[in-house]
Amino acid sequence: MKTKAVFYHAGCPVCVDAEQNVAAALDASRFDVEIVHLGVSGNRIGDAAAAGVKSVPALVIGESVYHINHGADLSALG
Amino acid sequence: MKTKAVFYHAGCPVCVDAEQNVAAALDASRFDVEIVHLGVSGNRIGDAAAAGVKSVPALVIGESVYHINHGADLSALG
C-alpha cells in the first residue's frame, strides 16, 4: 500500500518550483501524491492546518509535515 | 541520466526525520541521492554554502536548494 503524501501550495513561484522539483521527485511507486492548491481549494485550508502546516509550500508525508523553503504563511491564505 | 541530489544534514533529530521521510522518498530511478553529514564531513560545508544552503536539513536537486524545516543554521556548523 502506498503512503499518502499531500503537497500544499498556493501557486506562488516558490511553491511551483517546489512542486516541480520536490513533489514530482517522489517515488510514485511508493507514494500517492496529491497536489492541493489552497488558493483554489480554500476548503482544504482546515485540513492543512490540522496536519500542522504553517506555511506553503509544504509536504505532508503520512503524519509528518515538511515545510520546504517559504512562499506564504498559511494564515495569509484564509 | 539521473539527476544529482544532495541531502545535507547535521545529525539533528529534524535532519534525521527529513532524511528518512523526504530524502528516502525520492525516486531512485530518476535521482542519484547523496547524503552528506556536515558534522562528520566538515570539508563539505563549503560545497553546501556554494550551492546556496543556509540551514540544514536541505536538499539540493540539480542547482535548486530546498530547505526542509529547520534544524540548524549552516553558520553554526563551521
Side-chain angles (χ1 to χ4, degrees):
Chain A
M1 185 175 150
K2 293 186 185 182
T3 298
K4 174 80 176 176
V6 185
F7 180 79
Y8 291 103
H9 74 107
C12 56
V14 171
C15 295
V16 172
D17 180 273
E19 178 183 347
Q20 294 177 341
N21 288 295
V22 181
L26 299 184
D27 185 347
S29 72
R30 292 182 288 139
F31 296 89
D32 179 14
V33 184
E34 181 187 12
I35 308 292
V36 177
H37 187 320
L38 293 174
V40 175
S41 304
N43 61 328
R44 298 291 298 275
I45 291 177
D47 291 348
V53 173
K54 306 293 187 194
S55 63
V56 290
L59 182 63
V60 177
I61 301 180
E63 299 194 346
S64 300
V65 182
Y66 302 95
H67 296 95
I68 301 171
N69 291 340
H70 186 276
D73 287 329
L74 195 68
S75 59
L77 304 177
Chain B
M1 188 176 148
K2 293 186 184 182
T3 299
K4 175 80 176 177
V6 185
F7 180 79
Y8 290 103
H9 74 108
C12 57
V14 170
C15 295
V16 172
D17 180 273
E19 178 183 347
Q20 295 177 340
N21 288 296
V22 181
L26 299 183
D27 185 347
S29 72
R30 292 183 287 140
F31 297 90
D32 178 14
V33 184
E34 180 187 12
I35 307 293
V36 177
H37 187 322
L38 293 174
V40 174
S41 304
N43 61 327
R44 298 291 298 275
I45 291 177
D47 290 348
V53 173
K54 306 292 186 194
S55 62
V56 290
L59 182 64
V60 177
I61 300 180
E63 297 193 349
S64 299
V65 182
Y66 301 96
H67 296 94
I68 301 171
N69 291 339
H70 186 275
D73 287 330
L74 195 68
S75 59
L77 304 177

